[in-house]
Amino acid sequence: MNIDHTNAPLDAAQSVLSFAQLGLNAELQSSAAQAGFTSPTPVQVEAIGHVLNSRDVLATAQTGSGKTAAYVLPVLQLLMATAASRDEAADPRNAKTKRITQVLVLVPTRELATQVSDVLRDLARPLAQSIKVGTLFGGVSINPQMMSLRSGADVVVATPGRLLDIVDHNALSLSQVQHLVLDEADRLLDLGFAEELQRILALLPAKRQNLLFSATFEPAVQTLAEALLSNPARITIAQTEAHTPDIAQRAIQVDEKSRTALLRHLIKTHSWKRVLVFVATRYACEHVANKLYKAGVFATAFHGEMSQGARQDVLAEFKEERWEVVVTTDLAARGIDIAQLPVVVNYDLPRSATDYTHRIGRTGRAGAHGEAVSFITAATLAHWQLIQKRAQVQLPLEVLEGFELTELPPPASPLNDGTGGIKGARPSKKDKLRAAAAAKAEQEKQVSKP
Ligand code: AMP
């Protein structure tokens, strides 16, 4: 990926400080400028100084706010000092001095691993010192990734499962990591990754810098986050009007069976050229994409059952506008940065308000205007009310001509409590497990304290 050089500085007018005033050295200022970053975004203003001062950081800032560079730029500066002494000490007869991994960036998805690595490489390329970035993710053959680590890597960006596989093959040591970054931290702290994350933490030195970045931190994972951190700088970029991404949100009422027709109608009437459509299941991705394709819309699916190669191709082709519509699951909800993606559609509603925030955050990035449309059926109306309440939005429910509701809401039953299954109504089994994991992590932290 090339960094989009046409990016307007995000909230540049809000930034009173320059990269130089934040303590970034001249080389990295020039790197940032080459990437089109003329002034820091609010999260960069808040975070860069703390990272340079080796503080732990817990940062919450909305999607598309420049979070990646907020840790990449200062971490590169910290690395430059060691890279310089290594380059000086390198024996010219032994060009293969092995690099020590000092920075570990954990991410929840393969796409995000590639994206963060690209930002790291783009910003490191102009520097005098050579900084090597290793990218590790599953779904592709492990051998090339192990080969790429033969001479070591200064920074490793990885998804947890593949990282552990590679460590198990003795292809990488994490014993000298000094800076740990959790990007989309709340997802990594969530139960799906809890076991892998604990195993990884056990491989790292106890004394290290921890940097946690996410757009959302649900209270349930907050406790786990706290257990990881030591006297962190807490950064919350408030959702003020100036900082809020420019996303026009709409909710349209429609019968379940008419959603594809409504989607086609919207694509046609608004001349949408690039739409990311979220559905609930992998099956629905294929089904909806096929229906659209047969109706003459260039639509394709993107989900976790596809090979990594196919996933990469779809994303690349979508960026090149070869697909008008990509139908996906929550796999694509986090982190993925598709420059100038104008429209996101919730064909099926997300499970939680957090997922809603991440999904709509795929649009309206880097200061661009975006549109997020949610389809509301009679059966999902109650669930939608809860999402709105938790996401603190209140949208008028639109009814479009020709798409008036005819279906009735399903009758109340013990299985349909009106929440539509939204998470967090009362502590679930998962919440209890999380609380237990947090208590355990806290206990271990106490034990490891000198
Ligand atoms: P992120 O939140 O890290 O995914 O970044 C969102 C978008 O903002 C990306 O396209 C970045 O290239 C862009 N970006 C990050 N920092 C800046 C900056 N200081 N000025 C302009 N654009 C930026």
Side-chain angles (χ1 to χ4, degrees):
M1 179 198 77
N2 286 321
I3 292 176
D4 185 358
H5 288 243
T6 60
N7 279 333
L10 295 169
D11 276 340
Q14 313 298 316
S15 302
V16 266
L17 293 170
S18 64
F19 281 122
Q21 287 166 310
L22 295 173
L24 214 60
N25 67 29
E27 278 191 79
L28 279 161
Q29 286 170 45
S30 148
S31 251
Q34 287 183 46
F37 306 168
T38 42
S39 53
T41 67
V43 65
Q44 292 163 4
V45 168
E46 298 290 329
I48 288 176
H50 291 304
V51 181
L52 288 176
N53 287 329
S54 301
R55 281 276 299 269
D56 277 8
V57 169
L58 176 67
T60 317
Q62 58 277 56
T63 53
S65 57
K67 286 199 296 289
T68 321
Y71 65 81
V72 164
L73 287 167
V75 156
L76 282 175
Q77 181 153 325
L78 295 173
L79 260 180
M80 281 171 75
T82 28
S85 50
R86 180 207 57 216
D87 289 354
E88 265 168 36
D91 178 350
R93 286 159 304 179
N94 177 14
K96 291 212 169 131
T97 318
K98 195 160 174 172
R99 290 162 191 266
I100 293 167
T101 302
Q102 295 175 56
V103 181
L104 175 63
V105 184
L106 288 178
V107 290
T109 65
R110 302 162 189 181
E111 283 71 22
L112 199 52
T114 313
Q115 201 171 289
V116 169
S117 300
D118 287 341
V119 174
L120 269 157
R121 289 194 188 103
D122 282 335
L123 290 170
R125 192 169 300 118
L127 306 177
Q129 289 93 351
S130 86
I131 288 177
K132 197 176 147 201
V133 181
T135 312
L136 314 176
F137 53 80
V140 291
S141 163
I142 196 168
N143 291 332
Q145 292 179 0
M146 293 207 297
M147 292 286 284
S148 76
L149 293 172
R150 276 210 310 196
S151 54
D154 304 290
V155 186
V156 165
V157 184
T159 54
R162 176 52 63 93
L163 178 72
L164 285 168
D165 278 352
I166 291 207
V167 170
D168 290 343
H169 279 83
N170 289 325
L172 176 70
S173 161
L174 300 177
S175 64
Q176 298 196 55
V177 167
Q178 290 172 30
H179 316 277
L180 170 70
V181 182
L182 302 191
D183 195 331
E184 300 292 341
D186 63 338
R187 179 82 186 82
L188 289 164
L189 291 166
D190 198 8
L191 207 63
F193 284 109
E195 215 182 300
E196 287 170 340
L197 189 63
Q198 290 307 326
R199 272 192 65 200
I200 293 168
L201 293 178
L203 297 168
L204 305 177
K207 193 172 168 308
R208 58 169 195 266
Q209 183 181 32
N210 299 293
L211 307 170
L212 273 54
F213 284 79
S214 190
T216 47
F217 273 104
E218 284 184 61
V221 295
Q222 190 86 28
T223 332
L224 271 176
E226 298 292 341
L228 249 178
L229 296 160
S230 164
N231 182 28
R234 290 166 203 281
I235 297 168
T236 305
I237 304 299
Q239 290 265 10
T240 64
E241 208 166 298
H243 294 167
T244 308
D246 178 14
I247 304 171
Q249 300 174 57
R250 293 173 69 186
I252 305 178
Q253 210 159 21
V254 60
D255 279 343
E256 199 172 317
K257 60 175 180 341
S258 309
R259 287 174 298 169
T260 310
L262 174 60
L263 185 54
R264 280 171 47 206
H265 170 79
L266 292 170
I267 291 171
K268 201 164 152 215
T269 49
H270 295 287
S271 308
W272 287 343
K273 292 281 172 284
R274 215 154 22 145
V275 191
L276 189 63
V277 174
F278 284 98
V279 292
T281 62
R282 293 166 182 185
Y283 170 78
C285 285
E286 298 287 350
H287 184 67
V288 174
N290 279 342
K291 275 211 288 189
L292 288 169
Y293 196 84
K294 280 188 193 143
V297 178
F298 281 101
T300 191
F302 178 84
H303 56 72
E305 237 163 62
M306 292 162 57
S307 74
Q308 188 55 28
R311 276 162 64 168
Q312 271 159 1
D313 287 350
V314 169
L315 275 192
E317 289 161 3
F318 193 35
K319 284 181 193 182
E320 288 161 12
E321 290 197 13
R322 281 160 63 192
W323 295 112
E324 292 170 88
V325 176
V326 167
V327 188
T328 187
T329 60
D330 279 306
L331 169 71
R334 283 182 179 247
I336 290 180
D337 183 35
I338 302 166
Q340 275 109 44
L341 173 66
V343 190
V344 165
V345 171
N346 287 314
Y347 184 100
D348 285 326
L349 284 180
R351 283 184 64 218
S352 68
T354 303
D355 290 344
Y356 178 77
T357 308
H358 283 283
R359 281 185 180 187
I360 70 167
R362 296 313 97 212
T363 182
R365 298 173 73 76
H369 172 74
E371 201 171 330
V373 180
S374 297
F375 289 175
I376 317 297
T377 65
T380 59
L381 184 59
H383 180 48
W384 172 240
Q385 305 294 17
L386 268 164
I387 290 182
Q388 287 195 104
K389 197 168 152 209
R390 299 226 166 100
Q392 294 177 350
V393 287
Q394 194 62 53
L395 306 179
L397 206 47
E398 297 176 41
V399 181
L400 301 192
E401 205 183 322
F403 293 94
E404 294 83 0
L405 265 198
T406 61
E407 292 167 356
L408 293 171
S413 80
L415 289 176
N416 172 28
D417 60 1
T419 67
I422 194 165
K423 291 192 268 183
R426 64 179 75 88
S428 62
K429 194 172 160 201
K430 204 166 148 183
D431 291 331
K432 288 178 195 156
L433 282 166
R434 257 198 220 111
K440 190 164 166 248
E442 182 59 36
Q443 221 175 20
E444 279 164 8
K445 193 173 155 191
Q446 296 302 334
V447 172
S448 72
K449 271 188 187 153

